[in-house]
Amino acid sequence: MAIKVVFFDFYNTLVKFWPPLESIQKEACSKFGLEVREEDLVLGYKYADVYFNEENDRSPLGNRDKLQRDEFFTEYERLILHHSGLDVSPQLASDIWKQAIQIPKEFVVFNDTLHCLKLLKSRGLDIGIITNLRQDMECLLNKLNLFEYVDICINSKDVGFEKPDPRIFEYALKQQGVNASDTVHVGDQYYSDVQGALRAGIKPVLLDRDLWHSGVGDCFVIQSLSEIESVLEN
């Protein structure tokens, strides 16, 4: 059956932070006299994000109270630094995290995003976003000049479920009026995007920009959004 809708994750799929998070982390660490290389922090985030997604599946962050969220982000920060070569106490990890989130940053689109969305539109496909980001997505999409390409945008705040819970994907399918077999979902996280889509019966595509994942056999894997045509042809 021909694909009718392509769903995308938002952060780290269509957009990224600027300055990069590893740059922000380096600056935050320097405030406490700690030196760490940005390339090591990139690896640190890769490992810590696995923890992030597994924990979010076990108990969604949106359902946790402030103390529980603080404990989560303390451990998340500790893991970022541990896998970057720095072992710090939970208290210092908490202090660095609080420093890091105070540093201004904004979303910017990846270089391949607009080309991909324009291509899909030229082929008559609908485009959706399924994200755990709890923000005003209409405002954000307008700011990034993406709104005109997006037919539906679902975030976890709207639905009350977070990826990889299949119910957020099923909600998107119902709202768009399509069957799971008519759709694909593209995202950068194997656990929340690939496993979540599979649970809902949606064809998953893993966007692996940094060739981090190896041996993945239950989904298509692409390194750039420019490869989306190869997915649609299969």
Side-chain angles (χ1 to χ4, degrees):
M1 186 174 293
I3 297 300
K4 297 178 181 177
V5 183
V6 179
F7 290 111
F8 290 92
D9 173 46
F10 187 67
Y11 170 63
N12 259 356
T13 298
L14 298 177
V15 304
K16 60 184 176 180
F17 276 125
W18 193 264
L21 292 183
E22 55 269 21
S23 174
I24 290 173
Q25 279 286 336
K26 182 176 181 178
E27 181 180 340
C29 285
S30 69
K31 301 290 186 181
F32 298 88
L34 299 174
E35 294 298 324
V36 59
R37 300 186 309 169
E38 288 187 20
E39 53 264 43
D40 292 331
L41 284 163
V42 171
L43 185 62
Y45 267 105
K46 296 294 186 185
Y47 281 105
D49 283 345
V50 173
Y51 163 81
F52 189 111
N53 287 289
E54 289 180 347
E55 274 293 297
N56 201 45
D57 185 31
R58 183 185 67 81
S59 176
L61 285 177
N63 297 338
R64 303 190 192 193
D65 60 30
K66 182 180 183 305
L67 177 60
Q68 291 170 326
R69 288 196 299 271
D70 287 346
E71 290 173 345
F72 169 85
F73 283 112
T74 292
E75 178 61 9
Y76 180 62
E77 177 69 33
R78 191 193 69 78
L79 287 171
I80 293 170
L81 298 179
H82 171 73
H83 290 289
S84 303
L86 289 177
D87 285 313
V88 301
S89 68
Q91 182 59 59
L92 182 53
S94 176
D95 292 342
I96 294 171
W97 176 259
K98 291 174 182 176
Q99 178 67 37
I101 62 176
Q102 295 304 313
I103 297 174
K105 60 184 180 295
E106 62 182 358
F107 287 114
V108 296
V109 297
F110 281 103
N111 292 335
D112 54 7
T113 296
L114 281 176
H115 174 76
C116 174
L117 300 184
K118 289 177 179 178
L119 173 67
L120 295 176
K121 281 298 178 186
S122 73
R123 295 184 59 158
L125 298 175
D126 285 345
I127 294 171
I129 291 174
I130 303 175
T131 177
N132 287 345
L133 193 66
R134 291 172 173 257
Q135 291 196 21
D136 182 338
M137 293 302 296
E138 182 175 343
C139 178
L140 188 52
L141 290 171
N142 270 311
K143 181 179 179 181
L144 294 166
N145 296 317
L146 297 178
F147 185 78
E148 64 180 294
Y149 303 104
V150 178
D151 298 283
I152 183 172
C153 184
I154 304 297
N155 69 26
S156 55
K157 185 177 181 181
D158 298 329
V159 187
F161 307 112
E162 299 189 5
K163 297 183 294 182
D165 192 316
R167 286 173 290 185
I168 189 172
F169 294 92
E170 291 162 356
Y171 181 88
L173 293 172
K174 184 176 181 180
Q175 291 296 109
Q176 194 62 12
V178 292
N179 297 318
S181 58
D182 299 330
T183 68
V184 299
H185 175 74
V186 184
D188 71 298
Q189 290 294 321
Y190 178 78
Y191 200 71
S192 61
D193 290 309
V194 172
Q195 291 298 315
L198 283 172
R199 293 179 191 178
I202 296 172
K203 179 180 180 180
V205 180
L206 179 63
L207 177 61
D208 189 10
R209 294 185 182 276
D210 300 319
L211 298 177
W212 168 251
H213 299 276
S214 62
V216 174
D218 54 357
C219 66
F220 283 95
V221 181
I222 59 177
Q223 193 178 356
S224 166
L225 292 177
S226 63
E227 300 173 52
I228 194 69
E229 277 191 292
S230 65
V231 174
L232 299 178
E233 292 167 359
N234 284 279

